[in-house]
Amino acid sequence: MRDDSHPLDDPSADPFEVAATAAADIARLTGVPQHDIALTLGSGWSKAAELIGETTATLDATEVTGFSKPALAGHVGSLRSILTPKGKRVLVIGARTHYYEGHGTRRVVHSVRTAAATGVKTMVLTNGAGGIKPTWKPGQPVLISDHINLTADSPLEGATFVDLTDLYSTRLRDVARSIDPTLDEGVYCQFRGPHYETPAEVQMAKAIGGHIVGMSTALEAIAARQAGMEILGFSLITNLAAGIQTTPLSHQEVLEAGRDAEPVISDLLARVIGVL
Ligand code: HPA
């Protein structure tokens, strides 16, 4: 579909109706009328889906209303329906649209709204990100405890006042720590990107209470809360943030850290999802 004919780019379109249409597409194409859990896979997390259960359907995201092709390698443009051993249906979203692509917040949060429209109550958001805490090592997964949205934008339209207290559920973080008690946590700062931060911006993030820097997740979490879902967020620390590490950042490094960490984080995620 061409960008200029995207259903969410029509200002008169209702994004929740587009999400409902997408959810109907998913139900029809997967044969699964409702999903319980959704999992968005960020950089480094793409193999994680394989251990969660049996994949019963894989869709090209472009078959589903309102989804766009991923802008970059390392992000998978597919949607998968997985059946866990406990009988839960997990919708795995490998087709994240980033804010930096410049298509607006409606497209960024469409997958989250679609998940909600399929019946999902628990939204698991993952990403690859830079770490500010000097004790963290590339390849380490951490829990997101809260966020600071530095995009100066919101997926909410009009006078929609949504409470963001306990956005990244304390209950679900405790569940994750019951699987891996060594999991640390931190505050995620969403920058617009696609450039990485300057060292000064990283110091700013640190000064205002941030521990993790990235280019996704916060806007999605806001939409997930609006939709009434409970949220669990994981960052894979793919690198120390600019200036914390002295060497230049590269997308290649981010992908490699993801690949190296894959077995450990896949196992973690599958075990956490197994008890949700
Ligand atoms: N900054 C922003 N986004 C990122 C980073 C980072 O250091 N690493 C991976 N994604």
Side-chain angles (χ1 to χ4, degrees):
M1 185 174 282
R2 289 197 21 212
D3 281 351
D4 58 5
S5 64
H6 194 284
L8 287 163
D9 291 347
D10 171 0
S12 68
D14 175 347
F16 296 94
E17 273 177 25
V18 180
T21 306
D25 292 341
I26 290 170
R28 177 172 42 82
L29 294 165
T30 62
V32 179
Q34 293 235 314
H35 285 81
D36 305 301
I37 298 165
L39 166 63
T40 298
L41 298 173
S43 304
W45 295 87
S46 57
K47 283 271 158 35
E50 273 150 37
L51 299 177
I52 292 166
E54 176 203 349
T55 298
T56 61
T58 304
L59 314 178
D60 189 317
T62 53
E63 293 176 85
V64 180
T65 300
F67 280 75
S68 324
K69 273 215 175 74
L72 82 175
H75 292 251
V76 194
S78 70
L79 295 168
R80 275 207 252 181
S81 184
I82 293 184
L83 179 61
T84 71
K86 271 173 53 182
K88 293 259 170 92
R89 298 287 182 173
V90 183
L91 181 67
V92 178
I93 301 161
R96 177 179 256 148
T97 298
H98 285 89
Y99 187 66
Y100 60 67
E101 290 170 49
H103 299 305
T105 56
R106 284 183 167 194
R107 286 218 225 167
V108 170
V109 303
H110 178 61
S111 61
V112 168
R113 288 186 171 146
T114 297
T118 69
V120 164
K121 298 281 182 280
T122 307
M123 184 78 227
V124 183
L125 297 169
T126 68
N127 58 56
I132 295 180
K133 283 196 195 178
T135 52
W136 287 349
K137 303 264 183 308
Q140 178 176 350
V142 299
L143 288 163
I144 301 174
S145 58
D146 202 347
H147 80 222
I148 298 174
N149 171 12
L150 295 173
T151 65
D153 208 341
S154 172
L156 310 185
E157 299 177 28
T160 311
F161 304 113
V162 170
D163 172 61
L164 300 181
T165 311
D166 200 34
L167 183 60
Y168 299 87
S169 164
T170 304
R171 187 186 79 82
L172 292 180
R173 278 184 277 142
D174 286 344
V175 168
R177 273 188 295 259
S178 74
I179 300 293
D180 180 358
T182 70
L183 273 173
D184 201 359
E185 64 179 28
V187 173
Y188 181 91
C189 294
Q190 180 174 359
F191 283 82
R192 182 194 184 279
H195 49 271
Y196 292 114
E197 302 72 32
T198 63
E201 287 163 345
V202 170
Q203 288 306 314
M204 177 195 74
K206 184 178 175 186
I208 61 176
H211 309 106
I212 308 164
V213 287
M215 307 176 193
S216 67
T217 304
L219 296 171
E220 295 162 26
I222 295 167
R225 165 57 65 85
Q226 178 191 29
M229 296 188 284
E230 198 177 8
I231 300 151
L232 177 62
F234 280 107
S235 288
L236 171 68
I237 302 303
T238 56
N239 56 279
L240 293 184
I244 309 279
Q245 76 173 40
T246 47
T247 50
L249 271 50
S250 77
H251 183 57
Q252 198 51 38
E253 171 196 18
V254 167
L255 293 181
E256 277 167 21
R259 266 196 292 277
D260 293 348
E262 222 153 49
V264 171
I265 61 176
S266 304
D267 178 64
L268 169 67
L269 201 54
R271 287 167 65 205
V272 171
I273 287 185
V275 297
L276 290 180

